[in-house]
Structures are given as structure tokens and as C-alpha cells.
Amino acid sequence: MNDRVESVNGLDFTPRGDVFRSPQDWRDLFIYFLMVDRFDNNQENIPPYNPGAASTVRDPGEGKRFQGGNLRGIIRRLDYLRGLGVNALWLSPVFKNRMEQNDTYHGYGIQDFLQVDPRFGNKEDLRDLVREAHGRDMVVILDIILNHTGDNWAYPGDRPYYYWKEAPGPFEFGFWRETDPEEGFQQHDAVRPVELRHPEIYKRRGQIRNWYDPEEAIHGDFLSLKELDINKPDVLDTLIKVYKYWIAFADVDGFRIDTVKHMESSSTAIFCNAIREYAERIGKHHFFIFGEIVADDLTIQQYIGRNSRIPGTNERFPSLDAALDFPLYFILEEVIKGFLNPSHLRERYERFRNLYADHGEAGRYFVTFLDNHDQMSRPYRRFMHQNPFPDQGVLAVGYLLTTQGVPCIYYGTEQGFDGGGNHDSYVRECMFGGKWGAFETTGHQFFNPEHPIYTGISRIAAIRQREAALRYGRQYFREISGNGAEFGYPLDGKSTLAYSRILDTTEILVALNLDTGPRNDFITVDAGLTREGRRMVSLLDPRRSFEVERIGSRNAVQVNLKGHEMDLLKCEP
């Protein structure tokens, strides 16, 4: 049956059943970001990875091509993800890309905004995935694109055109791309919906060359992808209808918006407000919209926690609910590995006091992460690349799970994926193996629930779900002492990194040994809440407990930790 939709005018925005209620607070979520093509292909009898037996020969070109992951494969791995402690899925874009292009496996080059890419499955598969996730108390977030389409048309002569500031106007339009000789546009030709099939709605300024020029970044083409002019009301209205339709059809729970810094902030705010109002109307009262803004805190705060003014009017609309926490990402790896003074972490959170009225609540505005599919600050390698210390992987994700923010893990991190190379494909290896498996292998899957990183993360995630202070609490870094007399903040990787999360009358002390060897440091605690003589018990191993001592004018506990060990302590009742 052909259910292809040509125009947004015929879309039905009525939910297909009872809608799944949104989380009351997204800090209750632990997000798992996966690339659909690289996660699971729904094939049986794929042998598990065995380091001694797996072949380590693969073709580098395979990393740039579709590998066969699909939506049905994700469905069959939901219990694996639930076991990790995950309760939210963030899917790379699932919408139809150009069928003749085998290198858009990532999904960001959309040809048809109203269809699921057939290489991933179909619309019913997406709806089934959301339904199955909801049945496990998990929510689903779609990765969406507003500011560009795929490479659906060409400049004259099909030549690359580049951004030129002095250009008197848009470059000339060339032609719509077609894949067959039949007259008229067939299903794989041009772009859909038809409302996007007008040359004048594209900026047509050529590819970005200077990514640091704000004007060029907003108006230029993102590589070969074609920049839409979302300042035009008809264009923005079309995109609003497209994404309202996917909420109605599939009952998804949130959107992650790609390349927000390449869009006008007012258009972003109008879109977010329209989606949020629609979701409210149908009963999804906390629909989550977060964005990718590769920038510092001063830039990011312009998009979150406030309303954006609409040019030419007196109206203000709320923009993003949250942003990916790139400022943390830029420093976290180096601190955990001992290459950067932990003071950089403290200084980062101190900025919250200046930028947000309630610094304790600032965590709701950030989705924190360790690895991702782009690796902006360290192209192109994962956290575990050439890292001989797997426990550091648990430390790093454990930090995300116990600090302010909505924690997010990138697929494969829990299995110790260590990809790195001269192309982003090296951080996009296949969990199901295929021809582009991790550790330079082919044909072996990596869904091992006994992997030490997986089990370490799952234990901390379970504690986070039980302890409200780890999700909502204020955060304070703690001074330490090696001799019990002289206290100060840690200065290097040969130390214990410690901080408290405090909510009401509860203090949870988190201690991370950044050193390779054991440490037995004294750690400051809140004297008003954690009183002298009481015992703090390990939430990871209740057999361990530590007496609170009075040392000078402070209260402290002496905590022994193995190399790269983490512990969470709370006063016994």
C-alpha cells in the first residue's frame, strides 16, 4: 500500500490513541543516544565479541556507508538498555534520506520529512518502538533538523558553491535531483513535502567556509546540505506541521534540535513555542526540547532559561528547555584522566551563579555527555581511545550520573568502545558488528550485560533513581586533605575529586579517586547536616562505612578508595 504523503496540508494532528504522559522532571531521566544505522540490525545468531577470536580486518570505507541497523533491532534491545539503567532513548534522525546516496547513514540529509527511511524500517516500526519503550517506562526523543534539507538540488553545473560575503544576492538555482528518467518527480526525487520544493525558500549562499563567522554560520550551507530560510513564515509553518505530525503519529516524547547555532534564535523560539503549545493541548505537558549549541556558557544561556524576543514585535517566546552541555564536555575527559586541574570543573559550575537566578536548578538546562557522534573538541576519538584504564569509563559516566544535569550516554560507551581515526566514522562503529564493528572487527555483536563498564554504570544509575538529591540537589565541591590537617581543593590527577549533592536535610558525598593507586583522603562534609560522630554508609557497598570526625572548624570523613574507584556516601538513618 502506498501511504506516501506529498503535502503538510493533508496531515492529521490528532493523536492515534491515549498519549504517554511526559516526565514531571527530565532530571529523572538517563538518556541513551544511539545512531539507528549502527545499533542493531535485528539479525539472529551474530556471535558475541571475543577479544581472542574476533578478526581485526575491516575495510575503512565501510564506516562511511549504511550498515543495516534498523528500528526493529532497537526494539529487541530495549531490555538490554533498561538493564543499564536507561529510561530515555535519543534516536539519530529516522526520516528518509536520498536513496541513491549511501553515505547519509547518519540521517541528517533528509529528502522526505514525512517518511521513515526504508533502510531503517517504516512508520509503523517507529510507532511500535515508541509503544514498546513506553511499556517499559522509557521515553523516546527524536533528533530533528530545522535549518536544512539533504542534498536535494544542485547549484548550476552541479559544482560546489562557497559562501561569499560580497555576493549581491542568492546564487542561481540549478536543478532538483532526480533518480529515474520518468517524467515528473517520483518518490525518491527532489524533496518532500512539496511545500519545500521552491527555490526561493532556500538561502542559496553556498557552503560555509569560516565556521567562526556568525553570519556565515547562519546563512551558509552546512557542507552539501541545503540551507532553508526559516525566517520565512511559510517555511517555518511547514516544519512546525511536519514535527507536530510525528508527535501525533508516533507519540514521541521530545526533540533534540540539530545545529541550533546555525539558526536565527527568534525562529528557533517560535518553533519551540508552537511545538510546546501543541504538546500541551494533547496532554504531553512536559514535552522536552533540547538543542546542539557548540559554544560557551555565555552563548548557550541566550537560548535557555529565558524567552527570546521576536524581531519587530513586543512578543517573547520561550526557546529551548535545555542544551547539550558542551562546556562540560570540553573539559571533563581531561579532568577525569588527570590531564587538567579539577579547578576547571569548579569554575564552570561557579558560572551558574552568575548566569542563572537559581544555580541549584541550573542542571535542568543541560544534557550532559562524555562521548558523541561528532567529537568536536577531539576529532575523532572516543573517551576510551588508547586508554588502558577501563575503570575511568565508569568514573566519567558516574560523574554525569551524580552531578547537575540530565545525563546522557552515547551507545557503545558501556562496552568500552575505543574508536579513533581521521574521520567521524571511527566514533560511529556498529554495536551489532556488521562490516564496521568496534575494536576493528567485523561480524561480532557487543551487547554484553556482564561487561564491567556496563555493570559499573548500571549500579550508579540505580542509586541515582533512588536518591532524589542526586537528581535535584545543590552541588558543592569539597576540600580534601591527605594528612587530616591541611585542607584544599585538589590541584591535579593525583587526588580525590569530591563533591556533595544536598537536598533539604540530605547530603550525599561523591568521591572519585582520579589516581591509579589507592588514596585515603579526608573529605569535608556539611557540618550542619552531617554531624560529628555519625557514620556515612557507602551506597555502592553498604558494608563500608566511615565515621564523621571534627577536625578544627570542619567536619570530615576519611575515605579509602582503590585506584580509579568511586563511592557515594550517605549518613545512616
Side-chain angles (χ1 to χ4, degrees):
M1 183 179 69
N2 182 4
D3 64 344
R4 190 167 75 244
V5 181
E6 297 284 341
S7 169
V8 296
N9 289 330
L11 295 178
D12 182 0
F13 303 119
T14 306
R16 304 314 192 258
D18 293 337
V19 299
F20 190 73
R21 290 187 176 275
S22 306
Q24 286 294 315
D25 192 315
W26 278 80
R27 289 173 294 179
D28 293 334
L29 280 294
F30 177 21
I31 301 173
Y32 189 96
F33 171 36
L34 62 85
M35 299 197 75
V36 177
D37 180 63
R38 302 298 162 96
F39 188 66
D40 190 69
N41 64 355
N42 200 34
Q43 297 297 309
E44 302 293 340
N45 303 318
I46 301 176
Y49 172 63
N50 181 334
S55 169
T56 56
V57 177
R58 62 183 187 182
D59 175 5
E62 287 294 336
K64 304 173 185 178
R65 296 190 279 267
F66 275 89
Q67 290 296 308
N70 55 54
L71 296 170
R72 306 292 325 170
I74 300 170
I75 292 173
R76 73 169 184 161
R77 298 296 183 184
L78 288 176
D79 291 334
Y80 163 87
L81 297 172
R82 206 67 182 94
L84 182 62
V86 166
N87 51 8
L89 297 183
W90 160 17
L91 308 180
S92 60
V94 299
F95 311 115
K96 182 172 174 281
N97 281 225
R98 297 205 64 80
M99 296 300 292
E100 77 276 16
Q101 295 177 0
N102 200 27
D103 61 351
T104 59
Y105 65 87
H106 45 71
Y108 292 95
I110 299 173
Q111 183 257 334
D112 191 337
F113 285 79
L114 298 174
Q115 293 294 331
V116 167
D117 195 297
R119 289 163 289 203
F120 298 152
N122 55 43
K123 292 196 293 187
E124 285 67 32
D125 291 334
L126 176 61
R127 189 159 56 183
D128 288 347
L129 168 57
V130 175
R131 186 182 298 118
E132 289 287 339
H134 287 167
R136 293 167 173 81
D137 289 323
M138 303 171 75
V139 297
V140 178
I141 300 163
L142 295 186
D143 203 322
I144 67 169
I145 299 97
L146 296 183
N147 63 315
H148 63 251
T149 72
D151 185 17
N152 298 313
W153 56 266
Y155 289 99
D158 205 3
R159 293 187 298 271
Y161 276 51
Y162 294 94
Y163 192 89
W164 179 34
K165 275 187 177 294
E166 286 71 37
F171 294 129
E172 187 179 344
F173 181 84
F175 56 89
W176 294 106
R177 297 198 185 279
E178 300 185 55
T179 62
D180 58 66
E182 288 188 51
E183 185 177 348
F185 293 135
Q186 310 306 313
Q187 63 175 324
H188 304 318
D189 298 337
V191 64
R192 283 179 173 77
V194 295
E195 286 81 0
L196 300 181
R197 206 179 294 163
H198 304 287
E200 64 273 13
I201 70 171
Y202 295 87
K203 293 183 176 178
R204 307 201 321 266
R205 301 291 298 274
Q207 292 186 33
I208 298 169
R209 288 185 292 185
N210 181 3
W211 297 87
Y212 298 100
D213 182 323
E215 179 184 330
E216 186 169 340
I218 287 177
H219 297 295
D221 292 337
F222 201 97
L223 303 176
S224 65
L225 307 175
K226 300 305 191 286
E227 188 75 8
L228 286 163
D229 190 349
I230 59 173
N231 274 332
K232 294 181 180 294
D234 289 349
V235 178
L236 194 57
D237 180 66
T238 295
L239 294 166
I240 289 169
K241 288 175 178 175
V242 162
Y243 292 117
K244 283 168 57 175
Y245 167 74
W246 285 111
I247 299 172
F249 179 84
D251 196 24
V252 296
D253 306 283
F255 290 149
R256 177 267 192 185
I257 304 179
D258 189 47
T259 58
V260 171
K261 201 169 70 167
H262 295 269
M263 298 187 288
E264 294 82 358
S265 60
S266 58
S267 298
T268 304
I270 292 171
F271 174 86
C272 291
N273 187 68
I275 293 298
R276 200 174 283 116
E277 287 189 0
Y278 168 74
E280 289 268 5
R281 182 173 68 79
I282 65 172
K284 297 178 86 72
H285 296 289
H286 299 280
F287 192 89
F288 192 51
I289 306 174
F290 69 102
E292 177 197 43
I293 308 165
V294 186
D296 59 15
D297 280 306
L298 281 174
T299 302
I300 290 174
Q301 62 91 28
Q302 297 173 27
Y303 293 87
I304 56 179
R306 62 175 59 198
N307 293 344
S308 296
R309 184 179 296 281
I310 307 307
T313 77
N314 291 321
E315 289 193 273
R316 288 179 178 267
F317 287 146
S319 192
L320 301 172
D321 295 309
L324 285 165
D325 196 346
F326 276 96
L328 176 63
Y329 166 76
F330 291 145
I331 59 175
L332 181 60
E333 176 186 9
E334 286 70 21
V335 172
I336 295 296
K337 291 181 177 179
F339 301 148
L340 190 66
N341 190 321
S343 65
H344 289 272
L345 280 180
R346 297 197 309 276
E347 291 165 2
R348 190 290 158 102
Y349 292 98
E350 279 296 321
R351 288 196 292 272
F352 285 174
R353 299 176 185 272
N354 299 323
L355 295 175
Y356 302 100
D358 183 351
H359 73 274
E361 288 287 288
R364 69 170 64 247
Y365 300 131
F366 292 93
V367 175
T368 60
F369 65 101
L370 176 70
D371 280 323
N372 72 7
H373 61 313
D374 290 324
Q375 305 301 98
M376 274 76 168
S377 72
R378 49 181 190 266
Y380 297 97
R381 58 180 175 82
R382 284 179 176 258
F383 177 86
M384 290 304 300
H385 183 61
Q386 297 182 345
N387 186 346
F389 304 115
D391 287 343
Q392 285 187 339
V394 180
L395 279 186
V397 179
Y399 180 89
L400 302 182
L401 288 166
T402 56
T403 51
Q404 288 180 297
V406 181
C408 177
I409 184 173
Y410 182 48
Y411 82 97
T413 298
E414 78 280 12
Q415 297 293 331
F417 277 23
D418 64 353
N422 61 2
H423 192 270
D424 56 21
S425 59
Y426 287 93
V427 296
R428 302 175 178 181
E429 295 164 311
C430 296
M431 286 280 283
F432 64 89
K435 296 179 180 179
W436 191 246
F439 312 115
E440 300 185 8
T441 65
T442 60
H444 291 77
Q445 52 92 352
F446 303 88
F447 294 95
N448 177 14
E450 303 301 322
H451 193 287
I453 298 180
Y454 178 104
T455 58
I457 292 171
S458 67
R459 293 173 65 209
I460 300 168
I463 294 170
R464 175 186 173 84
Q465 283 302 108
R466 295 197 306 267
E467 299 290 347
L470 292 176
R471 305 193 303 277
Y472 319 130
R474 289 169 282 129
Q475 180 173 323
Y476 300 95
F477 285 92
R478 293 308 191 190
E479 292 186 338
I480 64 170
S481 172
N483 59 16
E486 300 168 308
F487 282 82
Y489 290 112
L491 299 176
D492 56 32
K494 302 289 186 181
S495 63
T496 299
L497 174 65
Y499 46 90
S500 292
R501 301 297 305 277
I502 294 177
L503 184 68
D504 191 23
T505 58
T506 298
E507 176 177 18
I508 295 180
L509 178 65
V510 184
L512 292 76
N513 182 2
L514 304 181
D515 203 348
T516 56
R519 296 196 65 85
N520 197 26
D521 291 324
F522 291 85
I523 306 173
T524 305
V525 293
D526 189 292
L529 296 176
T530 306
R531 298 190 179 277
E532 178 185 359
R534 298 189 68 185
R535 299 195 70 83
M536 298 195 82
V537 179
S538 168
L539 298 176
L540 284 167
D541 183 358
R543 295 170 299 179
R544 284 164 46 90
S545 66
F546 308 89
E547 184 177 353
V548 180
E549 305 177 42
R550 187 69 177 176
I551 302 176
S553 61
R554 75 181 71 223
N555 285 3
V557 289
Q558 188 175 19
V559 182
N560 61 294
L561 295 168
K562 300 173 186 175
H564 295 152
E565 185 181 14
M566 177 179 185
D567 212 343
L568 294 83
L569 309 179
K570 180 183 178 183
C571 274
E572 45 187 19

Short mmCIF file of all heavy atoms in Angstrom, two decimals, residues 382-429:
data_model
loop_
_atom_site.label_atom_id
_atom_site.label_comp_id
_atom_site.label_asym_id
_atom_site.label_seq_id
_atom_site.Cartn_x
_atom_site.Cartn_y
_atom_site.Cartn_z
N ARG A 382 36.95 8.46 20.80
CA ARG A 382 36.13 8.31 21.98
C ARG A 382 36.98 8.49 23.26
O ARG A 382 38.21 8.47 23.22
CB ARG A 382 35.49 6.92 22.00
CG ARG A 382 34.31 6.75 21.03
CD ARG A 382 33.79 5.33 21.14
NE ARG A 382 32.61 5.08 20.34
CZ ARG A 382 31.38 5.03 20.83
NH1 ARG A 382 31.16 5.26 22.12
NH2 ARG A 382 30.35 4.75 20.04
N PHE A 383 36.28 8.57 24.37
CA PHE A 383 36.94 8.71 25.67
C PHE A 383 37.92 7.57 25.93
O PHE A 383 39.00 7.78 26.49
CB PHE A 383 35.87 8.76 26.77
CG PHE A 383 36.43 8.82 28.17
CD1 PHE A 383 36.76 10.04 28.73
CD2 PHE A 383 36.62 7.67 28.92
CE1 PHE A 383 37.27 10.12 30.03
CE2 PHE A 383 37.13 7.73 30.21
CZ PHE A 383 37.46 8.96 30.76
N MET A 384 37.55 6.36 25.53
CA MET A 384 38.39 5.20 25.83
C MET A 384 39.47 4.95 24.79
O MET A 384 40.21 3.97 24.89
CB MET A 384 37.52 3.94 25.97
CG MET A 384 36.64 3.91 27.20
SD MET A 384 37.55 4.11 28.76
CE MET A 384 38.65 2.70 28.70
N HIS A 385 39.60 5.80 23.78
CA HIS A 385 40.61 5.59 22.75
C HIS A 385 42.01 5.57 23.36
O HIS A 385 42.43 6.50 24.05
CB HIS A 385 40.51 6.70 21.70
CG HIS A 385 41.47 6.55 20.55
ND1 HIS A 385 41.45 5.47 19.71
CD2 HIS A 385 42.48 7.34 20.12
CE1 HIS A 385 42.39 5.60 18.80
NE2 HIS A 385 43.04 6.73 19.04
N GLN A 386 42.71 4.47 23.12
CA GLN A 386 44.08 4.26 23.63
C GLN A 386 44.16 4.48 25.14
O GLN A 386 45.17 4.94 25.67
CB GLN A 386 45.07 5.18 22.89
CG GLN A 386 45.16 4.89 21.41
CD GLN A 386 46.18 5.76 20.69
OE1 GLN A 386 46.63 6.78 21.21
NE2 GLN A 386 46.55 5.36 19.48
N ASN A 387 43.09 4.13 25.82
CA ASN A 387 43.03 4.29 27.28
C ASN A 387 43.13 2.91 27.92
O ASN A 387 42.23 2.08 27.76
CB ASN A 387 41.72 4.97 27.67
CG ASN A 387 41.65 5.30 29.15
OD1 ASN A 387 42.45 4.81 29.95
ND2 ASN A 387 40.68 6.11 29.53
N PRO A 388 44.18 2.63 28.69
CA PRO A 388 44.34 1.31 29.29
C PRO A 388 43.57 1.12 30.60
O PRO A 388 43.69 0.08 31.23
CB PRO A 388 45.86 1.25 29.55
CG PRO A 388 46.24 2.67 29.83
CD PRO A 388 45.33 3.51 28.94
N PHE A 389 42.78 2.14 31.02
CA PHE A 389 42.11 2.10 32.31
C PHE A 389 40.59 2.07 32.14
O PHE A 389 39.94 3.13 32.15
CB PHE A 389 42.51 3.30 33.16
CG PHE A 389 43.99 3.45 33.37
CD1 PHE A 389 44.67 4.54 32.84
CD2 PHE A 389 44.71 2.49 34.08
CE1 PHE A 389 46.03 4.68 33.04
CE2 PHE A 389 46.07 2.62 34.28
CZ PHE A 389 46.74 3.71 33.75
N PRO A 390 39.99 0.89 32.00
CA PRO A 390 38.53 0.84 31.80
C PRO A 390 37.73 1.44 32.94
O PRO A 390 36.63 1.95 32.73
CB PRO A 390 38.24 -0.66 31.64
CG PRO A 390 39.44 -1.36 32.19
CD PRO A 390 40.60 -0.45 31.97
N ASP A 391 38.29 1.41 34.17
CA ASP A 391 37.55 1.99 35.30
C ASP A 391 37.33 3.49 35.12
O ASP A 391 36.42 4.07 35.73
CB ASP A 391 38.30 1.73 36.60
CG ASP A 391 38.21 0.27 37.05
OD1 ASP A 391 37.32 -0.44 36.54
OD2 ASP A 391 39.03 -0.15 37.87
N GLN A 392 38.17 4.15 34.31
CA GLN A 392 37.95 5.57 34.06
C GLN A 392 36.64 5.80 33.31
O GLN A 392 36.02 6.87 33.45
CB GLN A 392 39.12 6.17 33.29
CG GLN A 392 40.36 6.40 34.13
CD GLN A 392 41.45 7.15 33.37
OE1 GLN A 392 41.47 7.18 32.13
NE2 GLN A 392 42.36 7.77 34.11
N GLY A 393 36.22 4.82 32.51
CA GLY A 393 34.94 4.94 31.83
C GLY A 393 33.79 4.99 32.82
O GLY A 393 32.84 5.77 32.65
N VAL A 394 33.87 4.17 33.88
CA VAL A 394 32.84 4.20 34.92
C VAL A 394 32.92 5.51 35.70
O VAL A 394 31.89 6.12 36.02
CB VAL A 394 33.01 3.00 35.87
CG1 VAL A 394 31.94 3.03 36.97
CG2 VAL A 394 32.91 1.68 35.09
N LEU A 395 34.13 5.98 36.00
CA LEU A 395 34.28 7.25 36.70
C LEU A 395 33.61 8.38 35.93
O LEU A 395 32.89 9.21 36.50
CB LEU A 395 35.76 7.59 36.89
CG LEU A 395 36.55 6.95 38.02
CD1 LEU A 395 37.94 7.56 38.08
CD2 LEU A 395 35.85 7.11 39.36
N ALA A 396 33.87 8.44 34.62
CA ALA A 396 33.38 9.56 33.81
C ALA A 396 31.86 9.55 33.71
O ALA A 396 31.21 10.59 33.90
CB ALA A 396 34.00 9.51 32.42
N VAL A 397 31.26 8.39 33.40
CA VAL A 397 29.80 8.32 33.33
C VAL A 397 29.21 8.46 34.72
O VAL A 397 28.15 9.08 34.91
CB VAL A 397 29.34 7.03 32.64
CG1 VAL A 397 27.81 6.96 32.59
CG2 VAL A 397 29.91 6.94 31.23
N GLY A 398 29.91 7.92 35.73
CA GLY A 398 29.45 8.09 37.10
C GLY A 398 29.40 9.56 37.49
O GLY A 398 28.50 9.99 38.23
N TYR A 399 30.35 10.34 37.01
CA TYR A 399 30.32 11.78 37.26
C TYR A 399 29.04 12.38 36.67
O TYR A 399 28.36 13.18 37.33
CB TYR A 399 31.56 12.45 36.67
CG TYR A 399 31.58 13.94 36.88
CD1 TYR A 399 32.15 14.49 38.03
CD2 TYR A 399 31.01 14.82 35.96
CE1 TYR A 399 32.15 15.87 38.25
CE2 TYR A 399 31.00 16.19 36.18
CZ TYR A 399 31.57 16.71 37.32
OH TYR A 399 31.55 18.06 37.54
N LEU A 400 28.69 12.02 35.43
CA LEU A 400 27.47 12.55 34.81
C LEU A 400 26.24 12.18 35.63
O LEU A 400 25.31 12.99 35.77
CB LEU A 400 27.32 12.00 33.39
CG LEU A 400 28.44 12.27 32.38
CD1 LEU A 400 28.07 11.68 31.03
CD2 LEU A 400 28.73 13.76 32.26
N LEU A 401 26.22 10.96 36.16
CA LEU A 401 25.05 10.47 36.88
C LEU A 401 24.90 11.08 38.27
O LEU A 401 23.82 10.97 38.87
CB LEU A 401 25.12 8.94 37.00
CG LEU A 401 24.87 8.16 35.70
CD1 LEU A 401 25.30 6.71 35.86
CD2 LEU A 401 23.39 8.23 35.31
N THR A 402 25.94 11.71 38.78
CA THR A 402 25.88 12.22 40.15
C THR A 402 26.06 13.73 40.24
O THR A 402 26.16 14.26 41.34
CB THR A 402 26.95 11.52 41.02
OG1 THR A 402 28.24 11.72 40.42
CG2 THR A 402 26.66 10.03 41.14
N THR A 403 26.11 14.42 39.11
CA THR A 403 26.24 15.87 39.11
C THR A 403 25.01 16.51 38.46
O THR A 403 24.13 15.83 37.93
CB THR A 403 27.51 16.31 38.38
OG1 THR A 403 27.56 15.69 37.09
CG2 THR A 403 28.76 15.92 39.16
N GLN A 404 24.97 17.82 38.48
CA GLN A 404 23.82 18.54 37.93
C GLN A 404 23.69 18.28 36.43
O GLN A 404 24.68 18.23 35.70
CB GLN A 404 23.99 20.04 38.17
CG GLN A 404 23.80 20.46 39.61
CD GLN A 404 23.97 21.96 39.78
OE1 GLN A 404 25.04 22.50 39.55
NE2 GLN A 404 22.90 22.64 40.19
N GLY A 405 22.44 18.14 35.99
CA GLY A 405 22.19 17.95 34.57
C GLY A 405 21.35 16.71 34.31
O GLY A 405 21.06 15.91 35.21
N VAL A 406 20.96 16.54 33.05
CA VAL A 406 20.27 15.34 32.57
C VAL A 406 21.33 14.47 31.90
O VAL A 406 21.84 14.83 30.83
CB VAL A 406 19.15 15.70 31.56
CG1 VAL A 406 18.44 14.43 31.10
CG2 VAL A 406 18.17 16.69 32.17
N PRO A 407 21.75 13.36 32.50
CA PRO A 407 22.89 12.61 31.97
C PRO A 407 22.53 11.86 30.69
O PRO A 407 21.42 11.34 30.54
CB PRO A 407 23.23 11.64 33.10
CG PRO A 407 21.95 11.46 33.84
CD PRO A 407 21.23 12.78 33.75
N CYS A 408 23.50 11.80 29.78
CA CYS A 408 23.30 11.12 28.50
C CYS A 408 24.55 10.30 28.20
O CYS A 408 25.68 10.79 28.30
CB CYS A 408 23.05 12.14 27.39
SG CYS A 408 22.88 11.42 25.74
N ILE A 409 24.36 9.05 27.79
CA ILE A 409 25.46 8.17 27.40
C ILE A 409 25.32 7.85 25.91
O ILE A 409 24.21 7.68 25.40
CB ILE A 409 25.46 6.88 28.25
CG1 ILE A 409 26.68 6.00 27.91
CG2 ILE A 409 24.17 6.10 28.11
CD1 ILE A 409 26.83 4.80 28.83
N TYR A 410 26.44 7.82 25.22
CA TYR A 410 26.49 7.51 23.78
C TYR A 410 26.67 6.01 23.61
O TYR A 410 27.47 5.39 24.33
CB TYR A 410 27.65 8.29 23.16
CG TYR A 410 27.84 8.14 21.67
CD1 TYR A 410 26.78 8.26 20.78
CD2 TYR A 410 29.11 7.92 21.15
CE1 TYR A 410 26.97 8.15 19.42
CE2 TYR A 410 29.32 7.82 19.78
CZ TYR A 410 28.25 7.93 18.92
OH TYR A 410 28.45 7.84 17.56
N TYR A 411 25.95 5.44 22.67
CA TYR A 411 25.97 3.99 22.50
C TYR A 411 27.41 3.47 22.39
O TYR A 411 28.27 4.09 21.78
CB TYR A 411 25.16 3.57 21.27
CG TYR A 411 25.91 3.70 19.95
CD1 TYR A 411 26.53 2.59 19.38
CD2 TYR A 411 26.01 4.91 19.28
CE1 TYR A 411 27.23 2.69 18.18
CE2 TYR A 411 26.71 5.03 18.10
CZ TYR A 411 27.31 3.90 17.55
OH TYR A 411 28.03 4.00 16.37
N GLY A 412 27.66 2.31 22.99
CA GLY A 412 28.97 1.69 22.94
C GLY A 412 29.89 2.08 24.07
O GLY A 412 30.84 1.35 24.37
N THR A 413 29.64 3.23 24.72
CA THR A 413 30.49 3.63 25.84
C THR A 413 30.45 2.58 26.93
O THR A 413 31.47 2.27 27.56
CB THR A 413 30.04 5.00 26.39
OG1 THR A 413 30.18 5.99 25.36
CG2 THR A 413 30.86 5.41 27.60
N GLU A 414 29.27 1.98 27.15
CA GLU A 414 29.11 0.98 28.20
C GLU A 414 29.82 -0.34 27.87
O GLU A 414 29.97 -1.21 28.73
CB GLU A 414 27.62 0.72 28.48
CG GLU A 414 26.90 -0.16 27.46
CD GLU A 414 26.47 0.54 26.17
OE1 GLU A 414 26.91 1.69 25.93
OE2 GLU A 414 25.68 -0.05 25.42
N GLN A 415 30.26 -0.49 26.61
CA GLN A 415 31.02 -1.67 26.20
C GLN A 415 32.49 -1.33 25.94
O GLN A 415 33.22 -2.14 25.38
CB GLN A 415 30.39 -2.28 24.94
CG GLN A 415 28.97 -2.79 25.12
CD GLN A 415 28.89 -4.00 26.06
OE1 GLN A 415 29.83 -4.78 26.16
NE2 GLN A 415 27.75 -4.15 26.73
N GLY A 416 32.90 -0.15 26.35
CA GLY A 416 34.30 0.23 26.23
C GLY A 416 34.76 0.55 24.82
O GLY A 416 35.96 0.47 24.53
N PHE A 417 33.83 0.94 23.94
CA PHE A 417 34.24 1.28 22.57
C PHE A 417 35.36 2.32 22.61
O PHE A 417 35.27 3.31 23.35
CB PHE A 417 33.04 1.83 21.78
CG PHE A 417 32.15 0.77 21.19
CD1 PHE A 417 32.11 -0.51 21.72
CD2 PHE A 417 31.33 1.05 20.11
CE1 PHE A 417 31.28 -1.49 21.17
CE2 PHE A 417 30.50 0.09 19.55
CZ PHE A 417 30.47 -1.18 20.09
N ASP A 418 36.37 2.09 21.78
CA ASP A 418 37.57 2.93 21.86
C ASP A 418 37.99 3.47 20.50
O ASP A 418 39.16 3.72 20.26
CB ASP A 418 38.73 2.13 22.47
CG ASP A 418 39.16 0.95 21.60
OD1 ASP A 418 38.48 0.66 20.60
OD2 ASP A 418 40.20 0.32 21.92
N GLY A 419 37.02 3.67 19.61
CA GLY A 419 37.33 4.09 18.25
C GLY A 419 38.05 5.42 18.18
O GLY A 419 37.89 6.31 19.02
N GLY A 420 38.85 5.57 17.14
CA GLY A 420 39.56 6.81 16.88
C GLY A 420 40.22 6.74 15.53
O GLY A 420 40.68 5.67 15.11
N GLY A 421 40.25 7.84 14.81
CA GLY A 421 40.84 7.85 13.48
C GLY A 421 40.71 9.22 12.84
O GLY A 421 40.45 10.22 13.51
N ASN A 422 40.85 9.25 11.52
CA ASN A 422 40.86 10.52 10.80
C ASN A 422 39.50 10.89 10.23
O ASN A 422 39.40 11.76 9.36
CB ASN A 422 41.89 10.47 9.67
CG ASN A 422 41.59 9.39 8.66
OD1 ASN A 422 40.58 8.67 8.78
ND2 ASN A 422 42.44 9.23 7.66
N HIS A 423 38.44 10.25 10.69
CA HIS A 423 37.09 10.51 10.16
C HIS A 423 36.09 10.20 11.25
O HIS A 423 36.34 9.37 12.14
CB HIS A 423 36.84 9.60 8.94
CG HIS A 423 35.64 9.98 8.15
ND1 HIS A 423 34.39 9.45 8.41
CD2 HIS A 423 35.47 10.83 7.11
CE1 HIS A 423 33.51 9.97 7.56
NE2 HIS A 423 34.14 10.80 6.76
N ASP A 424 34.91 10.87 11.20
CA ASP A 424 33.91 10.65 12.24
C ASP A 424 33.38 9.22 12.26
O ASP A 424 32.81 8.77 13.25
CB ASP A 424 32.78 11.66 12.16
CG ASP A 424 32.09 11.70 10.81
OD1 ASP A 424 32.19 10.74 10.03
OD2 ASP A 424 31.45 12.74 10.52
N SER A 425 33.56 8.47 11.18
CA SER A 425 33.09 7.08 11.16
C SER A 425 33.76 6.25 12.25
O SER A 425 33.21 5.23 12.68
CB SER A 425 33.34 6.45 9.79
OG SER A 425 34.71 6.48 9.45
N TYR A 426 34.93 6.67 12.71
CA TYR A 426 35.65 5.90 13.73
C TYR A 426 35.01 6.03 15.12
O TYR A 426 35.36 5.26 16.03
CB TYR A 426 37.12 6.32 13.78
CG TYR A 426 37.89 5.81 12.58
CD1 TYR A 426 38.05 6.61 11.45
CD2 TYR A 426 38.45 4.54 12.58
CE1 TYR A 426 38.75 6.15 10.34
CE2 TYR A 426 39.15 4.06 11.47
CZ TYR A 426 39.30 4.87 10.36
OH TYR A 426 39.97 4.40 9.25
N VAL A 427 34.12 6.97 15.30
CA VAL A 427 33.37 7.05 16.55
C VAL A 427 31.91 6.65 16.31
O VAL A 427 31.04 6.94 17.13
CB VAL A 427 33.45 8.46 17.18
CG1 VAL A 427 34.88 8.77 17.57
CG2 VAL A 427 32.90 9.54 16.25
N ARG A 428 31.67 5.94 15.21
CA ARG A 428 30.32 5.50 14.85
C ARG A 428 30.34 4.03 14.43
O ARG A 428 29.78 3.65 13.40
CB ARG A 428 29.77 6.37 13.71
CG ARG A 428 29.72 7.86 14.03
CD ARG A 428 29.30 8.68 12.82
NE ARG A 428 29.21 10.10 13.13
CZ ARG A 428 28.83 11.03 12.26
NH1 ARG A 428 28.53 10.68 11.01
NH2 ARG A 428 28.77 12.30 12.60
N GLU A 429 30.97 3.22 15.25
CA GLU A 429 31.09 1.80 14.92
C GLU A 429 29.81 1.06 15.29
O GLU A 429 28.95 1.57 16.01
CB GLU A 429 32.30 1.22 15.66
CG GLU A 429 33.61 1.82 15.16
CD GLU A 429 34.78 1.60 16.09
OE1 GLU A 429 34.63 1.85 17.30
OE2 GLU A 429 35.85 1.18 15.61
#
